[in-house]
Amino acid sequence: VLRTKEHAKLLVTTTRVLKVLSVCNSSKPAIVNAGGMQALSSHLASANPRLKRNILLTMRNLSDTANRQQGLEILLPDLVQLLGDTDLTSVTCAVGILSNLTCNNSSNKSAVCQASGVEALIRLASHYSNFESHQEIVERCLCTLRHLTNGHDRADVAAQTVCVHQGHNLLPRYLSPANWSLAKPALGLLSNLAQCSANHPQICESDSLPQAVHLFMLANQHSEEVIEDVRMKEIVESAMRLLDELSRYEANHRTLQQLNCGWILARSPVLQNDHMPAQAHPHSFAAASSSGLQHESTSQAPFLPGWSPLNEFDDLSDLDLTAAIPNLPGQPLNTIPAYMEDIYALEPLD
């Protein structure tokens, strides 16, 4: 019906039925495999608000299942365009769909970047910076930007684009233990931005870095706990990934030394419990910080919950924090587990 009919009432009824079916885990694969996402997206430009709403909610519900499907790149520019819509439901659905479709899918990531998705997401996050009332939108913006700045051939360009458009200046407000659900994607995004050395001056000069270290300290004290559905161990891992990348460049050493980060890394139970690579990077953070540090002791989302997380892993096998950390116990240190991106299964609005 969606592919061949244009009768408004028939389309509204069809999409209403699909919206109901799209919340059923057994129905989702059948709809997606039948080309449901493509058929639905062909009517996104409809002037009928009921039809458009049904389509977006259905696509949002299906997006976690459609994440691995090939050939969805063609619909991504339309979703990017919807990020500038004035309707709150349309915007929230569009950014949720983009977040899911860009997780673990390099083709979709590149397509969103080519459609100026990074710039659109930064504008959206800036517009809804009052995250107390628009947390759903802000969190999905941060997660999507985190996806786009890692794991595809345009990731470095995307990371530079974030800083060129001052997206890094949005992060300090979210790097707060008052809201771990926002702190996690914000810290992950900051860590990704640091993978591009051109961004290091902006990162080191902003308030984000000391706040990231502060989050590290807090999370490290509770590294085996889950707070607000966020594993504190993931916060520790993201912060260590950020610090280690910055430490590879001598220009950043003074800033890192001023934050006493060597002591924090040396004290981390996440580092001390397992095994890390034996060979030290010549410019590893631990070596840089130990050379100049004196150690000091550091004692209303508008939608129903229903997203089920999937994780995207970054290869962190090259990280090394073992070199020249003084006063460490004799056991080997931990290999930092892979960093994760999130995908969510959504429930529709009535």
Side-chain angles (χ1 to χ4, degrees):
V1 171
L2 290 172
R3 291 194 184 105
T4 60
K5 305 298 182 183
E6 295 294 336
H7 191 277
K9 289 185 177 179
L10 180 58
L11 291 173
V12 169
T13 301
T14 301
T15 53
R16 186 169 65 243
V17 172
L18 287 173
K19 183 179 71 171
V20 174
L21 292 174
S22 67
V23 301
C24 175
N25 288 332
S26 60
S27 299
K28 285 184 178 184
I31 299 173
V32 169
N33 292 334
M37 292 290 283
Q38 295 90 334
L40 287 161
S41 67
S42 66
H43 296 280
L44 277 176
S46 172
N48 187 317
R50 292 175 59 198
L51 176 59
K52 186 175 179 180
R53 180 185 176 90
N54 286 345
I55 288 171
L56 285 170
L57 287 169
T58 306
M59 292 179 66
R60 192 180 72 138
N61 297 339
L62 297 172
S63 60
D64 63 314
T65 302
N67 168 266
R68 296 293 190 178
Q69 189 179 46
Q70 299 299 314
L72 295 183
E73 297 89 346
I74 192 171
L75 60 87
L76 298 174
D78 291 336
L79 292 170
V80 170
Q81 187 174 1
L82 281 172
L83 296 178
D85 203 282
T86 57
D87 178 67
L88 186 62
T89 299
S90 296
V91 170
T92 308
C93 287
V95 72
I97 297 165
L98 286 171
S99 179
N100 279 352
L101 294 184
T102 54
C103 181
N104 281 320
N105 193 312
S106 59
S107 297
N108 288 350
K109 291 180 182 185
S110 295
V112 172
C113 289
Q114 290 172 347
S116 300
V118 173
E119 297 90 331
L121 288 161
I122 293 170
R123 288 194 298 270
L124 182 60
S126 301
H127 183 71
Y128 289 104
S129 58
N130 179 18
F131 58 85
E132 287 84 359
S133 56
H134 299 104
Q135 176 161 332
E136 176 83 7
I137 291 176
V138 173
E139 185 177 348
R140 292 301 99 215
C141 279
L142 294 173
C143 286
T144 309
L145 286 169
R146 184 182 62 179
H147 297 169
L148 297 177
T149 51
N150 177 73
H152 65 111
D153 56 7
R154 298 178 63 87
D156 283 349
V157 175
Q160 292 183 60
T161 302
V162 171
C163 287
V164 166
H165 290 270
Q166 303 300 309
H168 64 289
N169 289 330
L170 296 173
L171 299 182
R173 72 188 70 178
Y174 307 128
L175 292 168
S176 168
N179 193 325
W180 289 106
S181 296
L182 289 177
K184 176 186 171 182
L187 184 57
L189 174 57
L190 184 64
S191 179
N192 284 353
L193 297 182
Q195 307 306 303
C196 177
S197 60
N199 292 335
H200 288 186
Q202 294 97 315
I203 293 173
C204 289
E205 292 168 7
S206 74
D207 293 331
S208 296
L209 189 55
Q211 289 181 252
V213 173
H214 179 59
L215 287 178
F216 178 97
M217 294 173 64
L218 293 176
N220 192 46
Q221 296 172 10
H222 307 279
S223 59
E224 299 304 319
E225 298 181 18
V226 177
I227 303 176
E228 297 177 17
D229 295 325
V230 174
R231 295 171 61 239
M232 292 298 99
K233 191 172 183 178
E234 294 177 10
I235 300 296
V236 173
E237 292 157 4
S238 289
M240 287 192 295
R241 182 173 178 263
L242 165 67
L243 296 173
D244 186 77
E245 187 59 37
L246 292 174
S247 74
R248 297 175 187 270
Y249 296 85
E250 187 174 355
N252 303 327
H253 289 180
R254 182 174 180 82
T255 299
L256 295 171
Q257 289 171 357
Q258 291 171 348
L259 294 171
N260 289 332
C261 297
W263 174 242
I264 295 171
L265 290 170
R267 289 289 296 173
S268 170
V270 175
L271 279 174
Q272 294 179 14
N273 285 342
D274 298 303
H275 176 68
M276 282 202 70
Q279 298 300 317
H281 190 285
H283 298 293
S284 72
F285 174 75
S289 55
S290 66
S291 64
L293 281 178
Q294 292 185 351
H295 296 165
E296 299 180 4
S297 178
T298 56
S299 329
Q300 94 217 185
F303 295 97
L304 298 172
W307 301 56
S308 26
L310 295 179
N311 299 311
E312 172 165 330
F313 297 95
D314 295 340
D315 181 10
L316 304 185
S317 58
D318 62 335
L319 293 190
D320 187 359
L321 305 176
T322 61
I325 304 178
N327 303 320
L328 276 180
Q331 72 266 30
L333 300 182
N334 176 52
T335 300
I336 303 176
Y339 165 68
M340 294 184 290
E341 294 183 1
D342 303 318
I343 184 170
Y344 295 88
L346 294 168
E347 293 182 6
L349 288 174
D350 295 329

